[in-house]
Amino acid sequence: MTPGILWVYLESTPLLGLVSTLVAWQAAVACSRALGDRPATNPVLIAIALLAGLLLLTRTPYAAYFQGAQYIHFLLGPATVALAVPMHAALGGIRRSAHAILPAILAGAAVSAASAMLIARALGGSRTVILSLAPKSVTTPIAMGVAEGIGGNASLAAVFVLMTGLVGIALGPPLLRLVRVDDWRARGLAAGTAAHGLATARILLLNETAGAYGGLAIGLNGVITAVIVPPLARWLVG
Amino acid sequence: MLRALTTLILCQFVGEVVARALGLPLPGPVLGLLLLLGLLVLRGGPDEAMRSTSTGLLRHLSLLFVPAGVGVVTQLDALAQDWVAVAGAILVSTALGLVVTGVVMQRLSR
């Protein structure tokens, strides 16, 4: 087989997208450790940069890459369901603080979505960009569905979700310290509400209670955002 | 592990079917999450297999965001045109969301 024919073969199987994603992830994790595990060196960001660069360099269409990467992407569904386990573990505490949790998530969800749309509009963003920004604080599968439903773009929404997660990881700890939020339950809830699974995955490594509240917030905010964003978008963007 | 994974995917499946059949605005996995939570409450908690499978899956949650994120290559034009709006909106709204949620939660739970 000549290299050309081999490449054509590999491009037609899902293996390439799968292998490149897993290898890029291992490289990104190693890279992130070597650079000292800071928010700017988040492995997700590094892996995406590596893979996006690879696709652009080899002129591989995203659809061809996704043919393989979809098997990893698919696991987001069962992983979302699995959040029920840490949520269940925190249920006792959650019941006791239900009077605080619901208003907090509702306020956070409304402020995130409304401010994102208003700021993007004020800064001259296109209608598609504004609408794709609205659900950026919730987990990827939900955000993609909501964005498409209101006239945004699903891919764009996925990218905004990711950027939001990275910003949440970077800003969360110093910002919450600044406003004197030192309760791990409140920190976890803020991470899950404003910056979904990415910030929750990070805070889960620091404190299990925070992780449980983050998981709860991802689930509840997913539900709340799916319900409030469509009318909010109609009202603010028209 | 396989049984726990089957339960997770089954919950997602039921969630998708119910969401579509009833025309609910909720994504299937979120309904699946609520369903599994209900099951866990009824059974008094996850068994060892469910605990280890879900922990294993959630430990690698970050990796699962990568494929969708690489979709950025299909949106480079839109991003190049509107990067100021995007950066401004994401930075400020995420900061506001974090502070509002955290402060409301801490004040009300005291």
Side-chain angles (χ1 to χ4, degrees):
Chain A
M1 241 187 233
T2 68
I5 294 172
L6 185 63
W7 182 252
V8 169
Y9 162 75
L10 282 175
E11 261 198 328
S12 68
T13 71
L15 206 52
L16 206 57
L18 200 51
V19 161
S20 58
T21 305
L22 291 171
V23 172
W25 178 252
Q26 296 299 335
V29 170
C31 213
S32 171
R33 285 219 182 103
L35 292 172
D37 228 359
R38 278 183 295 265
T41 65
N42 185 287
V44 178
L45 194 65
I46 299 174
I48 289 171
L50 286 173
L51 289 162
L54 187 72
L55 293 191
L56 293 174
L57 273 178
T58 59
R59 295 172 187 270
T60 309
Y62 177 65
Y65 160 77
F66 197 73
Q67 210 202 331
Q70 64 175 321
Y71 299 105
I72 294 169
H73 177 74
F74 174 79
L75 289 174
L76 268 178
T80 305
V81 176
L83 287 170
V85 174
M87 233 162 119
H88 177 266
L91 214 55
I94 286 164
R95 274 209 198 100
R96 274 194 298 282
S97 45
H99 64 283
I101 289 173
L102 286 178
I105 297 181
L106 199 60
V111 165
S112 299
S115 63
M117 287 190 280
L118 291 176
I119 291 164
R121 199 175 64 171
L123 294 177
S126 77
R127 195 184 149 80
T128 311
V129 162
I130 295 172
L131 291 171
S132 308
L133 276 165
K136 65 173 188 73
S137 287
V138 300
T139 192
T140 311
I142 303 181
M144 291 171 85
V146 171
E148 230 164 24
I150 58 175
N153 173 284
S155 270
L156 218 43
V159 174
F160 294 159
V161 166
L162 194 82
M163 292 175 172
T164 300
L166 296 173
V167 168
I169 289 173
L171 291 186
L175 208 56
L176 290 171
R177 220 174 295 130
L178 190 71
V179 294
R180 297 209 178 82
V181 173
D182 43 26
D183 184 334
W184 279 109
R185 297 172 300 174
R187 287 184 179 180
L189 204 76
T193 302
H196 56 86
L198 216 50
T200 301
R202 178 47 82 91
I203 208 163
L204 181 66
L205 301 177
L206 301 176
N207 182 289
E208 259 195 25
T209 306
Y213 277 76
L216 174 79
I218 296 170
L220 283 178
N221 191 19
V223 176
I224 289 171
T225 292
V227 174
I228 68 168
V229 157
L232 203 59
R234 226 172 298 128
W235 181 50
L236 291 176
V237 185
Chain B
M1 185 205 121
L2 201 56
R3 217 170 59 137
L5 200 58
T6 307
T7 306
L8 290 176
I9 292 180
L10 205 60
C11 284
Q12 183 188 354
F13 177 78
V14 172
E16 301 279 9
V17 170
V18 170
R20 267 154 223 270
L22 301 182
L24 298 176
L26 293 181
V30 175
L31 274 186
L33 184 166
L34 297 174
L35 179 65
L36 180 61
L37 189 62
L39 286 175
L40 293 177
V41 170
L42 285 178
R43 282 200 208 148
D47 56 15
E48 193 41 48
M50 176 57 82
R51 200 189 308 275
S52 63
T53 302
S54 61
T55 308
L57 205 51
L58 291 175
R59 195 179 300 136
H60 302 295
L61 193 57
S62 305
L63 161 67
L64 310 186
F65 290 90
V66 171
V70 179
V72 69
V73 294
T74 65
Q75 300 295 332
L76 292 178
D77 291 341
L79 287 177
Q81 205 159 36
D82 282 347
W83 70 272
V84 177
V86 168
I90 290 181
L91 275 173
V92 178
S93 71
T94 306
L96 285 174
L98 281 165
V99 168
V100 168
T101 313
V103 167
V104 172
M105 175 69 186
Q106 183 159 287
R107 289 263 163 89
L108 291 181
S109 57
R110 260 185 200 146

